[in-house]
Amino acid sequence: MKITMAHGSGGKSSAQLMSDIFGKHFKNDILDRMEDAAVLEVNGRIACSTDSFVVTPLVFKGGDIGKLCVCGTVNDLLMMGAVPKYITCGFILEEGLDTELLDRIVESMARQAREAGVTVVAGDTKVVEGNGGLYINTTGIGEIPAGRDVSSANCRPGDVVLVSGNLGDHHACILSDRMEIENDIVSDCAALNDVVDSLFAHGIEVRTMRDVTRGGLGTVINEIADSSGCMIELDDESIPVHDDVRGFSDILGLDPLYMGNEGKMIAIVPEKDAEKALAAMRATEHGRDAAVIGRVKEGSGAYIKTRLGATRRFDVLYGEGLPRIC
Ligand code: MG
């Protein structure tokens, strides 16, 4: 069946769409009450984040827009030291969208939400004229446990920068699909609960965490250097990139350090905790390729020691990255 304008009418077809797809997959005590708003129990400080997802293709190697929208929002909450609890989702469906595909995407979204420990507590659907596209907006709420203070502004000279794994996979996967290039590159789309939980469980004093999404490592590192009023120097040789992604980006003249990821993060910790943090990250599924990649120093801006031994400015991404990657 295809989505028609009638599915957005608020009448019988809308109700059917609700019960057949959204209600079926998202079923839970809070959502099932079907009130005008969800009533949520939250303790202490909360973190809140919202994001819209417009990726094409809707399904890619390693994920789909449903999995991606949960991971993206959950990761943003995690990066503030929050424990993700609740998520809402707004769907904009284009007329002509296949309901079987929608069902598959919503199922994937529900599965990822369960895995990441978030409950879908509110949602909305609109249907617009179009060509079978799908857009999703998600908002997440998480609780910040007492004593956690994680912020881009917290870095101090001497701190150590770690990355959770190989860079560029998601970007290279989406680009390969769009260019119809056959390869084995799989998106890294993942919720990073395990990596973050492991850092806190090992008692690491986490100063800063950021997921390395659109704009890549270059953008995130510059933002942190600016917010903290420090200089950050990375060592190119120590930054992990999978051989397939390295080869792919070399051919296209792309730099994996500016490519987007959907399941990678950096953590900045005091020097005394660096070794313990590396082990804590490596002990997890999504942090098994973690590496120490640089240091925070006195000064300003971001720099990178190249493979030839020279040090150069590590700038933010200029111009256009690949559109509709997330
Ligand atoms: Mg983020």
Side-chain angles (χ1 to χ4, degrees):
M1 198 175 54
K2 302 280 185 202
I3 293 292
T4 65
M5 294 307 284
H7 286 109
S9 65
K12 197 171 172 194
S13 303
S14 301
Q16 209 154 25
L17 186 63
M18 283 321 293
S19 62
D20 291 357
I21 297 184
F22 297 112
K24 183 177 75 180
H25 294 300
F26 291 153
K27 208 170 169 31
N28 65 63
D29 289 349
I30 299 172
L31 194 63
D32 291 354
R33 283 184 208 130
M34 296 298 276
E35 308 261 17
D36 278 347
V39 177
L40 310 174
E41 303 263 357
V42 184
N43 296 315
R45 287 181 304 157
I46 64 167
C48 178
S49 180
T50 194
D51 213 337
S52 298
F53 294 84
V54 299
V55 65
T56 57
L58 294 174
V59 179
F60 46 84
K61 265 191 268 174
D64 54 63
I65 190 171
K67 179 179 180 183
L68 179 64
C69 73
V70 174
C71 293
T73 294
V74 161
N75 287 343
D76 277 341
L77 297 173
L78 287 166
M79 295 307 114
M80 298 312 295
V83 178
K85 298 282 286 183
Y86 303 111
I87 198 164
T88 72
C89 43
F91 288 84
I92 296 174
L93 316 177
E94 282 185 0
E95 199 178 13
L97 175 68
D98 198 291
T99 51
E100 264 174 50
L101 176 60
L102 178 63
D103 185 80
R104 188 174 146 199
I105 287 168
V106 175
E107 184 190 19
S108 156
M109 193 170 162
R111 190 184 323 120
Q112 184 59 59
R114 276 193 300 277
E115 280 175 28
V118 287
T119 308
V120 178
V121 292
D124 175 58
T125 308
K126 295 285 188 296
V127 179
V128 297
E129 292 95 347
N131 202 14
L134 166 63
Y135 310 98
I136 307 175
N137 173 273
T138 45
T139 298
I141 290 174
E143 290 173 349
I144 304 176
R148 287 191 190 175
D149 174 25
V150 184
S151 159
S152 290
N154 283 358
C155 298
R156 299 285 168 268
D159 288 353
V160 173
V161 185
L162 299 101
V163 69
S164 63
N166 301 326
L167 296 181
D169 300 21
H170 179 72
H171 197 132
C173 167
I174 297 294
L175 194 53
S176 302
D177 193 294
R178 296 230 202 115
M179 296 176 77
E180 296 178 13
I181 297 171
E182 295 270 340
N183 57 37
D184 297 325
I185 298 171
V186 176
S187 166
D188 58 338
C189 180
L192 296 168
N193 302 60
D194 58 346
V195 183
V196 173
D197 289 351
S198 183
L199 286 170
F200 287 113
H202 285 81
I204 310 295
E205 191 186 324
V206 180
R207 301 249 216 244
T208 300
M209 291 188 285
R210 291 289 300 269
D211 56 345
V212 189
T213 52
R214 209 172 28 169
L217 183 68
T219 303
V220 170
I221 288 293
N222 273 279
E223 286 174 3
I224 297 170
D226 282 353
S227 298
S228 289
C230 296
M231 187 236 272
I232 300 181
E233 190 180 290
L234 302 183
D235 176 12
D236 193 10
E237 202 139 24
S238 63
I239 300 172
V241 177
H242 192 281
D243 286 346
D244 290 358
V245 172
R246 170 98 48 209
F248 176 82
S249 29
D250 279 353
I251 291 168
L252 294 174
L254 296 168
D255 185 346
L257 304 192
Y258 291 103
M259 287 162 67
N261 309 268
E262 290 295 343
K264 295 291 151 48
M265 59 176 276
I266 61 157
I268 301 184
V269 304
E271 185 175 23
K272 68 174 172 65
D273 283 348
E275 244 174 73
K276 209 159 58 155
L278 182 63
M281 290 171 98
R282 282 191 175 162
T284 65
E285 181 191 349
H286 298 116
R288 60 184 181 273
D289 298 318
V292 169
I293 60 167
R295 262 187 191 271
V296 180
K297 296 186 169 181
E298 300 271 1
S300 63
Y303 291 82
I304 191 161
K305 191 143 57 110
T306 68
R307 280 154 202 268
L308 299 172
T311 301
R312 67 170 169 84
R313 189 70 205 253
F314 187 33
D315 237 326
V316 294
L317 177 67
Y318 280 105
E320 286 195 26
L322 180 65
R324 299 191 63 178
I325 183 181
C326 55

